[in-house]
Amino acid sequence: MKSFFIGKYEIKLPIIQGGMGVGVSLNGLASAVANEGGIGVISAAGIGLLYPQFKGNYVDRCIFGLQEEIRKAREKTRGVIGVNIMVALSNFSDMVRTSISEKVDVIFAGAGLPLDLPSYLGKESKTSLVPIVSSARAAKLICEKWSANHGYLPDAIVVEGPKAGGHLGFKKDQIEDENFSLEHLIPEVVKVTRAYADRKNIPVVAAGGISTGQDIARFLGLGAAGVQMGSIFVPTNECDAAEEFKKVYVDSDEKDVRIIQSPVGMPGRAFDGEFIRNVAEGREKPRSCPFHCIKTCDYTKSPYCIIKALYNAAKGNLKKGYAFAGKNAYMTDRITSVKEVIEKLKTDFFLSKSVF
């Protein structure tokens, strides 16, 4: 596996750990992946819920919580640390400013188009900016807008396909359509980035449903510089979620992974369970909204509060929440370590390369 650069940062292991909220990927998982040479990523989503002891409102606690997680990760690693920030978050600006002020290495921004992300950088900023897209059209639009309005091009682009866990940037009928597969998307986005090669090298990162060393080899062969993997790191000792959450991954099989409709108006992929069935029967209607965490969410029309559901699940209360998961998340059979996961990926990668 070859290293590549995102901005000035050399990524020695071409694996980015996906940002998973609420409370699934924090300083523990991020620092463990960074120590192996990849990019460890802290999810900013709902992070204020994890710091109830901090005085102030939800927005204040989110800022404090993100500062704490970045600082804790820095104490555990000298590797590359990123923060995943959804554009759809109502406190997107606060999370971006906090990440930059804490000198986080990389910001990954998806769940919407981060058209003004470079505007947050100052002259002394050290943070690289990486948008997450689901089409070549979105990649081109971001490159054009950033270049025209800010004189800046992305330091990398993550392309998330329809096999990803969590919220998907596809319509329901596109998810199983081969024309929208990651195998089709990667060469298209690579073509977009090559148009800017005389100005900047923009590496493309493949994401969504990648779960084996063979998968990594395939996407690197299609022109990707690296891959993003999330679900494979959940059933590890270092993952920040509760053991009960990790066991959902271990104890499930293929039929348990399903597409749901999220309250934020997007399809998502998750493990089926009691909570999702209760939602379908109308038993989880929110009575209030103390957070307003998502810009587009109207709790009076929402079937449930997604931030509470994800938080509850990560804390081990699967009766009141559910686990987002990639299409192949069921393939794990035990809880192991980040090091073991990566060593197996390396072994399978080199075996697959020798076959070809």
Side-chain angles (χ1 to χ4, degrees):
M1 296 186 191
K2 294 182 180 179
S3 66
F4 72 103
F5 281 84
I6 292 182
K8 68 176 185 178
Y9 301 104
E10 183 179 7
I11 317 306
K12 295 181 180 178
L13 178 75
I15 294 175
I16 297 168
Q17 165 247 311
M20 297 171 285
V22 173
V24 179
S25 62
L26 301 170
N27 74 85
L29 180 56
S31 61
V33 174
N35 280 330
E36 295 302 317
I39 302 183
V41 181
I42 296 164
S43 171
I47 204 164
L49 291 179
L50 309 173
Y51 287 85
Q53 74 276 18
F54 180 74
K55 294 180 180 179
N57 58 27
Y58 171 72
V59 173
D60 295 332
R61 292 197 298 273
C62 283
I63 293 171
F64 175 80
L66 185 54
Q67 290 172 333
E68 285 292 290
E69 291 298 325
I70 293 171
R71 292 170 187 178
K72 288 175 182 176
R74 288 290 188 215
E75 291 173 357
K76 298 176 181 178
T77 184
R78 298 182 68 180
V80 181
I81 294 293
V83 173
N84 180 287
I85 310 172
M86 297 194 300
V87 179
L89 292 177
S90 56
N91 62 346
F92 174 77
S93 294
D94 285 336
M95 297 291 90
V96 171
R97 290 191 184 97
T98 300
S99 299
I100 292 173
S101 68
E102 289 294 318
K103 297 182 175 58
V104 78
D105 300 319
V106 188
I107 289 176
F108 297 92
L113 296 177
L115 297 180
D116 293 322
L117 189 56
S119 67
Y120 294 91
L121 294 176
K123 291 182 179 180
E124 303 301 319
S125 298
K126 299 180 179 179
T127 302
S128 293
L129 306 180
V130 179
I132 302 172
V133 303
S134 55
S135 70
R137 182 182 178 184
K140 185 175 181 180
L141 177 61
I142 288 172
C143 288
E144 289 181 348
K145 290 288 187 181
W146 284 20
S147 178
N149 298 336
H150 309 289
Y152 195 98
L153 286 168
D155 294 295
I157 296 177
V158 173
V159 185
E160 193 167 271
K163 293 183 180 180
H167 293 116
L168 305 175
F170 302 88
K171 296 177 182 178
K172 199 166 184 179
D173 61 352
Q174 296 174 334
I175 293 173
E176 299 297 333
D177 187 336
E178 281 300 309
N179 292 316
F180 296 91
S181 69
L182 188 58
E183 286 80 357
H184 278 75
L185 294 175
I186 291 300
E188 293 174 353
V189 177
V190 168
K191 185 177 179 181
V192 170
T193 62
R194 282 178 179 164
Y196 300 93
D198 60 331
R199 296 173 54 192
K200 190 173 190 176
N201 176 41
I202 307 174
V204 174
V205 176
I210 300 171
S211 55
T212 67
Q214 291 89 338
D215 291 339
I216 298 173
R218 186 169 74 256
F219 286 109
L220 295 190
L222 289 173
V227 298
Q228 178 178 286
M229 309 177 80
S231 296
I232 197 170
F233 291 116
V234 173
T236 60
N237 300 320
E238 296 91 343
C239 176
D240 300 275
E243 291 299 300
E244 292 83 358
F245 185 89
K246 301 174 188 180
K247 288 177 182 176
V248 173
Y249 283 69
V250 175
D251 297 336
S252 298
D253 56 37
E254 187 173 8
K255 66 179 175 56
D256 296 316
V257 183
R258 56 166 292 187
I259 299 296
I260 65 171
Q261 190 63 31
S262 167
V264 305
M266 303 168 70
R269 181 175 279 108
F271 283 120
D272 200 359
E274 181 180 342
F275 180 83
I276 289 176
R277 292 190 289 272
N278 286 340
V279 168
E281 296 172 7
R283 298 179 183 177
E284 295 292 339
K285 190 75 177 174
R287 295 185 181 138
S288 64
C289 178
F291 311 115
H292 187 56
C293 60
I294 303 293
K295 295 172 185 175
T296 58
C297 185
D298 179 354
Y299 85 91
T300 63
K301 300 176 182 177
S302 179
Y304 62 95
C305 175
I306 188 169
I307 193 173
K308 283 186 177 179
L310 297 177
Y311 170 79
N312 288 337
K315 287 296 185 181
N317 184 2
L318 276 303
K319 291 185 177 181
K320 285 295 181 180
Y322 61 89
F324 273 143
K327 186 176 178 65
N328 298 318
Y330 67 91
M331 292 174 65
T332 186
D333 60 1
R334 65 192 179 97
I335 296 174
T336 181
S337 69
V338 165
K339 181 177 282 292
E340 287 178 274
V341 167
I342 289 177
E343 287 304 316
K344 186 175 190 311
L345 289 173
K346 288 179 179 178
T347 299
D348 292 346
F349 173 86
F350 288 115
L351 285 174
S352 67
K353 293 291 283 187
S354 64
V355 169
F356 293 114

